[in-house]
Amino acid sequence: MTERNTAVVDTDTPRPKTLRVALLGAGNVGAQVARILLDDAESLAARTGARLELVGIAVRTIDAPREVELPRELFTTDASALVRDADVVIELMGGLEPARTLILEAIEHGASVITGNKALLAVDGPSLYEKADAAGVQLSYEAAVAGAIPILRPIRDSLAGDKITRVMGIVNGTTNFILDAMDTTGAEFPDALAEATRLGYAEADPTADIEGHDAAAKGAILASLSFHTRFALEDVHCQGITAVTADDIAAAKDAGFVIKLLAIAEKLETTGATGVGTTGVSVRVHPTLIPREHPLAAVHGAFNAVFIEAESAGELMFYGRGAGGTPTASAILGDVVSAARRMVLGGPGRTETTTGVLPVLGIEAVTTQYYIGLDAADQPGVLAKISALFAENGVSIETMRQTVHRESDDGGNGSAELRIVTHRASEAALAATVEAIKGLDIINSVTSVLRVEGV
């Protein structure tokens, strides 16, 4: 009979060390983070090898109403004192200040920092990364781009041995909800925005969302990680969705497309006047037509998704909830566990890897397809004149169709809505074409110019 091995439990093994966690902000996300830290303390300790003790929550007003009931003794208005006595600092205050000062103070005192502050990272991320690197602490920000979706760690770790060539993301749930509502119901933009506000998807002041600023901040972060070069908000070409009309949505649907606000970062090869090629990165946010069979076209409501193209892995898509207290808290706690494990096992902090500096390429370096909407006179020779101008500027037309005919009030020829999709062309060639078309006496107006991706 074979004697079984019996595991021996060493009762003298020391209990996991305790890491002091400071939380800055107790809003929708912060309150859920605090709840999980308190309710799941034992399981988090088992995963990290250390007990995570929530030692305080810095807030502006201690007695403000909150969705989650938390111990009152944890609250403080002295954020600076809290930060100086912590091993891990979770910053969920938002905004530039005092968040920047408190993060720098935490780094100076040797604390690892977890943040979801995409605005601060987009504006001042490079200097914060450098400070964290110099101090040997971890600066993590998974929740800053796509809420609950794990996207930054896969880019940094899982794809570390690959070369990413392009990233396209729906990274703002408010704008995706609005455009999806316009596509599915035929609503005009103001009505879709009002519904988003009523349901709580849009803020009272939705400017950062609908003008593309929120998506641009996230695009800068994605580009920095994907291409190992530090990009700031000012490097991102940004265009919002306020000019997108129900007619644009309907015309796109008729042509087999859907309109999404995309953040796009891609590596490009450009050739200058001397014939010498330059490799750089374009980062842009704008309304975009994508084919209805593309994976991003199926992202509905307030959901987010990031589509990655890499040399070896090919095409990958990450999909999930891009906002909300509990989903975003999941991403925050993932970073907390990662930082805690590193502190238990030892070793330097992890931020982002910068192995080179690729130049930022402006929107004029982009080559893509375009969709142009025209209100033109409905008379013989119009299509020929328009086609000739496209040819003169080196832009090839893929499809052209008349979608609407309007009768003239005075019995004349009336007008027609023309919808044109081009083959791939440079931004400069397309801009020159549009300017030339505006000068034609047969053109009443250029109603839309949108880029087409994923074809």
Side-chain angles (χ1 to χ4, degrees):
M1 180 176 178
T2 304
E3 185 177 347
R4 292 185 179 180
N5 292 325
T6 303
V8 177
V9 178
D10 183 1
T11 56
D12 294 329
T13 300
R15 293 177 62 82
K17 67 181 292 187
T18 296
L19 296 177
R20 297 171 60 82
V21 179
L23 176 61
L24 308 181
N28 192 23
V29 177
Q32 294 297 337
V33 168
R35 177 188 62 80
I36 296 171
L37 284 170
L38 295 171
D39 292 350
D40 297 347
E42 294 300 326
S43 62
L44 288 171
R47 295 175 216 167
T48 61
R51 187 167 190 84
L52 303 177
E53 180 187 358
L54 180 60
V55 295
I57 306 171
V59 293
R60 292 185 179 89
T61 306
I62 291 178
D63 294 321
R66 295 179 177 89
E67 293 183 3
V68 178
E69 186 173 344
L70 299 169
R72 193 179 191 281
E73 61 269 19
L74 287 176
F75 290 104
T76 178
T77 57
D78 192 347
S80 182
L82 187 62
V83 161
R84 291 194 300 271
D85 194 33
D87 302 301
V88 179
V89 173
I90 305 172
E91 184 276 308
L92 296 173
M93 306 173 73
L96 301 184
E97 288 293 353
R100 178 198 283 113
T101 298
L102 290 168
I103 287 175
L104 290 173
E105 193 169 356
I107 291 172
E108 182 182 342
H109 282 80
S112 287
V113 176
I114 316 301
T115 181
N117 195 332
K118 69 263 183 181
L120 176 58
L121 292 172
V123 171
D124 207 29
S127 67
L128 295 177
Y129 306 145
E130 289 174 3
K131 294 286 187 182
D133 285 341
V137 301
Q138 187 156 322
L139 173 60
S140 301
Y141 43 92
E142 183 67 68
V145 171
I149 304 173
I151 183 62
L152 301 186
R153 280 190 294 272
I155 290 175
R156 185 192 64 201
D157 298 332
S158 303
L159 295 174
D162 207 338
K163 293 180 180 178
I164 293 174
T165 56
R166 196 177 207 221
V167 178
M168 294 197 302
I170 297 171
V171 292
N172 183 273
T174 301
T175 52
N176 198 60
F177 178 89
I178 292 170
L179 293 173
D180 187 49
M182 294 174 70
D183 182 72
T184 55
T185 69
E188 290 284 359
F189 173 81
D191 297 325
L193 172 59
E195 179 66 4
T197 303
R198 185 184 72 81
L199 294 174
Y201 294 127
E203 301 287 345
D205 180 1
T207 303
D209 294 323
I210 62 177
E211 295 295 350
H213 305 317
D214 176 80
K218 296 170 179 178
I221 296 170
L222 282 171
S224 297
L225 274 179
S226 299
F227 300 106
H228 310 291
T229 299
R230 289 170 177 169
F231 297 93
L233 183 60
E234 63 195 35
D235 299 321
V236 184
H237 172 86
C238 183
Q239 177 186 348
I241 66 169
T242 54
V244 178
T245 66
D247 287 343
D248 292 329
I249 298 285
K253 181 182 291 189
D254 184 55
F257 294 96
V258 63
I259 298 178
K260 298 289 188 182
L261 182 73
L262 295 186
I264 303 172
E266 59 183 336
K267 186 182 291 185
L268 300 174
E269 299 284 343
T270 64
T271 303
T274 62
V276 178
T278 299
T279 299
V281 175
S282 163
V283 192
R284 50 198 167 98
V285 168
H286 49 68
T288 310
L289 275 74
I290 54 176
R292 299 192 85 86
E293 61 271 17
H294 192 282
L296 287 174
V299 179
H300 299 293
F303 278 74
N304 283 193
V306 179
F307 189 81
I308 295 176
E309 298 173 20
E311 287 187 3
S312 298
E315 297 178 343
L316 306 167
M317 192 168 95
F318 300 80
Y319 168 85
R321 295 187 180 277
T326 303
T328 306
S330 170
I332 293 291
L333 267 297
D335 279 343
V336 171
V337 169
S338 174
R341 282 176 176 167
R342 194 272 308 171
M343 297 173 77
V344 169
L345 297 175
R350 298 281 309 274
T351 53
E352 43 94 341
T353 304
T354 303
T355 57
V357 178
L358 293 172
V360 177
L361 300 178
I363 191 69
E364 66 277 0
V366 172
T367 299
T368 188
Q369 292 183 255
Y370 297 88
Y371 158 90
I372 301 103
L374 303 174
D375 186 324
D378 190 8
Q379 64 188 46
V382 168
L383 298 184
K385 291 180 180 179
I386 293 172
S387 298
L389 274 183
F390 272 83
E392 287 175 14
N393 287 280
V395 180
S396 175
I397 294 175
E398 181 177 274
T399 63
M400 179 187 294
R401 67 179 69 188
Q402 177 176 313
T403 60
V404 179
H405 172 79
R406 299 186 183 89
E407 297 292 341
S408 173
D409 294 336
D410 58 7
N413 291 322
S415 64
E417 282 290 334
L418 302 179
R419 307 291 179 179
I420 299 168
V421 177
T422 74
H423 288 288
R424 294 188 72 86
S426 70
E427 187 81 14
L430 192 281
T433 303
V434 171
E435 283 304 308
I437 287 174
K438 288 179 179 178
L440 292 175
D441 58 5
I442 57 171
I443 298 297
N444 299 321
S445 64
V446 177
T447 56
S448 300
V449 179
L450 297 171
R451 296 168 186 87
V452 181
E453 300 287 349
V455 178

